[in-house]
Amino acid sequence: MEPGAELAVIVPTFNERKNVLALVEKLQAALGEIRWEVIFVDDASPDGTADLVRELAAEDRRIRCIQRFGRRGLSSACVEGMLASAAPYLAVIDADLQHDERLLPLMLEELRCEAAEIVVGSRYTAGGGIGEWGAGRARLSRIGGRLGRILVPADLSDPMSGFFMMRRRVFERSRERLSAIGFKLLADVFASHPEPLLFKELPYTFRPRHAGESKLDSVTAWDYAMLLLDKLVGHIVPVRFVAFSIVGVLGIAVHFAVLAPLLQVAHTRFMVAQAIAALCAMSFNFALNNVLTYRDSRLRGWRWLRGWLLFVLACSAGGVMNVTVASFIFKSYGTWVLGALGGIVVGSMWNYAVTKFFTWGRSGT
Ligand code: GDD
Ligand code: MN
């Protein structure tokens, strides 16, 4: 019988078709005699990345593909890739050849000889570098790194790194507490592991992207904020509910911005104006929640329209509930502030729970 791989290299992909072959060749060259496998975790890339990986996999059993539908997210993709492997050592690397794969055997050596439990490819330790980055991106990366100190040990020089290798045990012991939100799995692992991790950093120079485009955008910063928030308060309140509430407060502003001119300029009847304003606020909330709160299950096309309808229906029921609870409290205790607050809390919890399940189809987190 042939034993399984010793090292699993997990590669999250979204639209990386043009990089897959080059990466596999580089891995082959770098890993030589090591028993390795590579698991591509692709989020249904429109460019057919997964099809190409499967073509390669048909020729080489070390190559595997996991394809996810209706889902997005670098960290959660990596977690699923790791769960699909039995290898005692797990690495994560970008598909676009920006990370130096020649570090992998050195990382493995550090783990094998127990010099570390986790080894990080660092751009900032002596000998590393960020290559050809614009000043803006470099600054953003540094700010992110500083904020990340909340999660990781102070002497880790590149907490934002997307290139690392760890013992399977490290993954397993952090797994349950991982937030798996956004891009920063490494910081997440450090923050989720029950004890401080014995780590080592190896320098490398960040290379320019081989083909295609970066998936990092302004919403990545929001994801990062949500990761930090989840680590800080996630055990008390679900971070999605926090995001949903922030969006809800913005929705109130939209409501008034629509209501005021309708009443004062167009002299619309109050009931009609209120209904229009509520519909605008709900639509705004739906659209914003779709790109922020539920970025990893974002709806598009027809499903967007269906989701919008479900959202409006659910929130209308939430509105009825809000008024019912508020007037009950008001009648029982006679204080309108308490009544209004009670109505808002119950109504928004209803909206959150119902739309999470019906609109975005999420039953877990
Ligand atoms: N499955 C999946 N789903 N993969 C994704 C997604 C997603 O939603 N978004 C991005 N990826 C994949 C990309 O296809 C790529 O292989 C890898 O994740 C990194 O994405 P890039 O778009 O290339 O990110 P970057 O180069 O700007 O940043 C990377 O390197 C930094 C430095 O190490 C990331 O790894 C950062 O987290 C890291 O800080
Ligand atoms: Mn990249």
Side-chain angles (χ1 to χ4, degrees):
M1 247 198 295
E2 216 182 305
E6 181 186 18
L7 170 67
V9 181
I10 313 295
V11 188
T13 57
F14 188 73
N15 283 346
E16 303 285 4
R17 193 183 168 96
K18 292 204 181 106
N19 294 318
V20 166
L21 191 58
L23 178 68
V24 168
E25 281 168 358
K26 284 202 178 275
L27 288 177
Q28 228 147 9
L31 294 171
E33 293 302 296
I34 296 165
R35 271 195 346 270
W36 57 276
E37 64 182 348
V38 58
I39 304 181
F40 289 88
V41 189
D42 184 66
D43 285 346
S45 302
D47 77 348
T49 306
D51 297 328
L52 176 61
V53 173
R54 277 189 293 261
E55 271 171 42
L56 299 175
E59 304 290 320
D60 186 341
R61 57 186 302 178
R62 294 175 300 185
I63 303 171
R64 289 164 60 195
C65 176
I66 296 177
Q67 197 174 11
R68 308 194 303 172
F69 292 92
R71 305 266 306 279
R72 280 296 302 272
L74 197 167
S75 290
S76 67
C78 293
V79 168
E80 280 170 49
M82 290 172 187
L83 289 170
S85 167
Y89 301 106
L90 303 165
V92 175
I93 193 169
D94 283 7
D96 53 10
L97 310 189
Q98 292 196 279
H99 299 152
D100 192 339
E101 73 292 334
R102 290 169 302 179
L103 234 53
L104 289 168
L106 307 177
M107 289 173 153
L108 184 62
E109 209 31 61
E110 299 286 349
L111 295 178
R112 274 183 185 155
C113 74
E114 309 203 349
E117 304 171 279
I118 185 162
V119 187
V120 181
S122 169
R123 297 160 286 180
Y124 300 116
T125 199
I130 51 177
E132 300 163 19
W133 258 6
R137 169 88 201 247
R139 201 178 66 225
L140 212 67
S141 176
R142 273 200 308 274
I143 296 174
R146 232 166 281 150
L147 274 171
R149 298 272 168 246
I150 311 172
L151 308 180
V152 301
D155 46 350
L156 187 65
S157 73
D158 193 358
M160 299 293 101
S161 179
F163 182 32
F164 55 95
M165 190 188 293
M166 62 186 156
R167 300 177 165 280
R168 157 148 236 113
R169 190 175 152 72
V170 169
F171 168 65
E172 263 156 24
R173 298 202 61 216
S174 7
R175 205 206 73 236
E176 215 173 308
R177 293 172 59 204
L178 284 175
S179 309
I181 300 171
F183 266 49
K184 307 303 173 192
L185 183 60
L186 178 70
D188 200 355
V189 168
F190 269 94
S192 303
H193 196 266
E195 295 93 34
L197 284 167
L198 181 61
F199 70 89
K200 185 127 189 192
E201 291 187 284
L202 297 179
Y204 78 100
T205 303
F206 203 63
R207 296 189 288 223
R209 190 173 236 283
H210 181 64
E213 290 158 14
S214 170
K215 279 83 209 175
L216 211 85
D217 58 19
S218 48
V219 185
T220 313
W222 163 271
D223 277 343
Y224 185 48
M226 287 299 125
L227 171 64
L228 292 177
L229 207 62
D230 190 46
K231 283 288 172 276
L232 296 173
V233 302
H235 53 289
I236 307 167
V237 46
V239 70
R240 270 195 218 272
F241 183 63
V242 177
F244 191 84
S245 306
I246 295 173
V247 172
V249 170
L250 295 175
I252 296 175
V254 169
H255 186 102
F256 279 100
V258 174
L259 187 63
L262 279 178
L263 290 176
Q264 288 163 357
V265 182
H267 302 290
T268 316
R269 267 178 47 222
F270 182 76
M271 279 280 278
V272 177
Q274 172 75 358
I276 294 173
L279 191 65
C280 290
M282 282 191 270
S283 305
F284 168 84
N285 279 9
F286 168 70
L288 207 56
N289 275 316
N290 193 43
V291 292
L292 294 181
T293 318
Y294 291 99
R295 177 164 156 77
D296 51 349
S297 326
R298 186 166 163 187
L299 306 171
R300 291 167 200 271
W302 279 109
R303 296 181 46 183
W304 190 95
L305 217 58
R306 179 175 169 272
W308 170 79
L309 193 69
L310 285 170
F311 189 86
V312 169
L313 285 175
C315 293
S316 305
V320 173
M321 206 122 116
N322 176 334
V323 175
T324 315
V325 170
S327 38
F328 174 75
I329 297 177
F330 179 60
K331 273 190 213 126
S332 316
Y333 301 98
T335 39
W336 62 270
V337 178
L338 201 65
L341 280 177
I344 290 171
V345 168
V346 172
S348 48
M349 277 165 70
W350 159 278
N351 288 348
Y352 171 69
V354 172
T355 60
K356 177 174 141 182
F357 186 69
F358 284 104
T359 310
W360 284 282
R362 312 240 5 159
S363 44
T365 53

